[in-house]
Amino acid sequence: MKTQVVIVGGGPSGLLLSQLLHMRGIDSVVLERRTKDYVLGRIRAGVLERGLTDLLREAGVADRMDREGFPHHGTLISYGDEMFRINFSEHTGHMVTVYGQTEVTRDLYEARERSCGALLFNVDHVVIQDADSDAPHVTYEIAGVSHRIDCDFIAGCDGFHGVSRATIPYRVRSEYEKVYPFGWLGVLSETPPVNDELIYATSPAGFALCSMRNSNLSRYYIQCSVDEDAANWSDDAFWAELKRRIPAAQADALVTGPSIEKSIAPLRSFVTEPMQWGRLFLCGDAAHIVPPTGAKGLNTAASDVHYLYHGLRQFYETGISDGIDAYSHKALARVWKAERFSWWFSSLLHRYPDQTAFDIKMQIAELEFLRSSPAAQKAMAENYVGLPY
Ligand SMILES: Cc1cc2nc3c(=O)[nH]c(=O)nc-3n(C[C@H](O)[C@H](O)[C@H](O)COP(=O)(O)OP(=O)(O)OC[C@H]3O[C@@H](n4cnc5c(N)ncnc54)[C@H](O)[C@@H]3O)c2cc1C
């Protein structure tokens, strides 16, 4: 088989890139290790920056998002019973859209299938070959049968545990990592959200987030220790702990119900440099991870896709390789700023095991500064709605 771009990974990065390339007449084949249902069953991000919503419109897959997504013009931050709002629209002229990653992925799958895009599932043993040459190829197996695809370029969109990053030799790669000493226990429930905007809460018992997917689907998180098992948390214990961490008025208003999904996510900051090697380009979680505080994971994946898509488009339309040559440099410049924001926002709101009384006073002072300073609020809002591409 031969194609122009092989895309390893059928998550949001790989699907979005493949759909954007298709709109410009550039062929790709997507290789996904799992089944479509498995990918769609993963409950992950839910807050989309304007850069991502614009890309989804450009890719022709935004109709449902524009109909069913919720524009959010601000967010609430609480500490104990104190709560204040950051007004995104007032400070930046922009907003974010609440629309689940699962729905984005579903819309992308539908679009790729409508145009008979090449999406291969249950693909095993993907090996990227000769990425540093002018003639790369990828080998893989489906149901025990070996296959080979020759291509011009390879996009490594296969997440943190994929094969693409590991294809770049150690001597070329530098990795930067911070592992946080806690995780997030998340619950999805068919209940109305406690508030029509997200609430980021900190308290002596730790962090909590009140988020949502739609008017009757809520997503709540509480900070937990990394070695906990979600199965050991009853729904009642989860709701009781959440109520302890949010202001009393919101705790009283919280509608609880049975969880329909419950899982623990570890928190990590990670970046690999460079994000390209020869004709292999890393996109999204394959190259970087952020803690979910600040909702930057999916959005940063989207900015990578934007840079790579424009580089490939320029190459195929004009023969000029400036865009793809500069891909890693451009993508990383924005990635590091998203890493900084996610790290800062996480550090502000979580309780750390080794935190001193002084450290806690610093967090409160910073929260009070953020509450009272329009300049600090503007900086927060600018990062939250997403830095320009
Ligand atoms: C539990 C969890 C909760 C999260 N919550 C949030 C949130 O609230 N807000 C936020 O902004 N971000 C969140 N994120 C991050 C966000 O979901 C990711 O940034 C986003 O999924 C990145 O998309 P991606 O396509 O780059 O990677 P992925 O979504 O990881 O997709 C990679 C795909 O590659 C496939 N794959 C892997 N290895 C191979 C292989 N060898 N061969 C072929 N295919 C392969 C995988 O099966 C997967 O489908 C969360 C992440 C996790 C894990």
Side-chain angles (χ1 to χ4, degrees):
M1 208 195 299
K2 179 146 179 54
T3 189
Q4 289 172 304
V5 184
V6 169
I7 299 176
V8 185
S13 306
L15 293 169
L16 179 57
L17 179 64
S18 137
Q19 175 66 9
L20 286 164
L21 293 176
H22 164 74
M23 302 291 279
R24 297 287 160 182
I26 302 166
D27 284 337
S28 66
V29 174
V30 177
L31 305 178
E32 168 56 47
R33 188 176 51 171
R34 304 285 193 167
T35 63
K36 179 174 152 188
D37 285 347
Y38 182 94
V39 176
L40 287 174
R42 290 188 297 221
I43 307 296
R44 292 184 170 180
V47 176
L48 314 186
E49 292 175 358
R50 115 192 104 105
L52 173 51
T53 52
D54 286 350
L55 267 186
L56 293 169
R57 287 188 194 104
E58 187 173 350
V61 292
D63 288 356
R64 199 158 68 92
M65 175 193 76
D66 284 333
R67 263 196 331 270
E68 298 176 15
F70 293 85
H72 278 206
H73 296 275
T75 194
L76 294 152
I77 298 180
S78 76
Y79 50 114
D81 277 331
E82 303 289 329
M83 188 152 77
F84 61 97
R85 180 167 186 262
I86 309 275
N87 188 325
F88 302 147
S89 306
E90 184 184 301
H91 288 296
T92 69
H94 300 293
M95 53 165 198
V96 291
T97 302
V98 169
Y99 188 66
Q101 176 170 335
T102 314
E103 306 310 318
V104 172
T105 310
R106 191 184 302 282
D107 296 342
L108 284 163
Y109 271 136
E110 277 174 14
R112 295 309 298 123
E113 284 164 358
R114 258 198 315 274
S115 15
C116 303
L119 290 173
L120 306 180
F121 294 99
N122 292 314
V123 172
D124 285 323
H125 306 303
V126 169
V127 181
I128 297 168
Q129 315 261 17
D130 300 332
D132 58 340
S133 78
D134 287 344
H137 67 278
V138 177
T139 56
Y140 58 95
E141 286 180 19
I142 296 182
V145 180
S146 303
H147 301 266
R148 168 182 169 140
I149 313 182
D150 293 287
C151 56
D152 301 330
F153 299 101
I154 298 151
C157 301
D158 48 352
F160 187 65
H161 300 288
V163 294
S164 299
R165 187 174 66 254
T167 303
I168 303 180
Y170 270 122
R171 62 184 159 74
V172 180
R173 236 187 316 149
S174 300
E175 296 189 342
Y176 305 86
E177 184 174 45
K178 178 179 175 64
V179 177
Y180 297 81
F182 41 73
W184 279 17
L185 171 63
V187 155
L188 191 69
S189 69
E190 283 169 334
T191 52
V194 67
N195 191 63
D196 55 9
E197 291 180 339
L198 273 65
I199 304 174
Y200 288 90
T202 185
S203 76
F207 170 80
L209 171 61
C210 304
S211 182
M212 68 207 64
R213 293 295 180 266
N214 62 44
S215 57
N216 197 41
L217 192 58
S218 297
R219 183 72 167 153
Y220 295 105
Y221 297 95
I222 54 172
Q223 175 184 349
C224 64
S225 74
V226 260
D227 45 15
E228 280 185 62
D229 182 350
N232 293 336
W233 278 84
S234 68
D235 289 352
D236 286 348
F238 178 86
W239 295 123
E241 192 53 39
L242 176 65
K243 285 182 179 183
R244 276 199 328 137
R245 300 181 186 197
I246 59 178
Q250 279 65 37
D252 290 343
L254 183 73
V255 178
T256 63
S259 61
I260 54 172
E261 195 267 356
K262 197 186 284 161
S263 54
I264 292 184
L267 267 69
R268 180 196 305 269
S269 298
F270 174 88
V271 181
T272 192
E273 291 186 344
M275 285 173 58
Q276 74 191 86
W277 182 60
R279 290 182 165 236
L280 167 65
F281 303 90
L282 304 181
C283 275
D285 281 17
H288 41 75
I289 298 286
V290 287
T293 336
K296 289 286 162 256
L298 177 61
N299 291 303
T300 311
S303 62
D304 296 348
V305 169
H306 164 89
Y307 294 123
L308 184 54
Y309 158 61
H310 282 283
L312 290 170
R313 201 181 135 186
Q314 181 194 41
F315 177 83
Y316 283 111
E317 288 176 0
T318 67
I320 296 169
S321 65
D322 291 7
I324 47 177
D325 294 345
Y327 168 70
S328 179
H329 179 73
K330 280 188 185 171
L332 281 167
R334 193 174 185 281
V335 163
W336 276 113
K337 289 177 196 137
E339 291 282 342
R340 184 207 69 81
F341 177 70
S342 307
W343 160 82
W344 167 78
F345 206 33
S346 301
S347 308
L348 179 64
L349 298 176
H350 289 81
R351 286 293 160 109
Y352 287 70
D354 59 353
Q355 213 169 18
T356 64
F358 179 84
D359 296 332
I360 292 169
K361 285 284 190 191
M362 287 299 96
Q363 281 182 327
I364 293 168
E366 185 147 8
L367 282 162
E368 288 182 350
F369 176 62
L370 186 58
R371 176 184 194 141
S372 60
S373 162
Q377 291 189 7
K378 188 178 171 72
M380 191 278 180
E382 194 180 352
N383 280 278
Y384 197 94
V385 300
L387 298 176
Y389 288 177

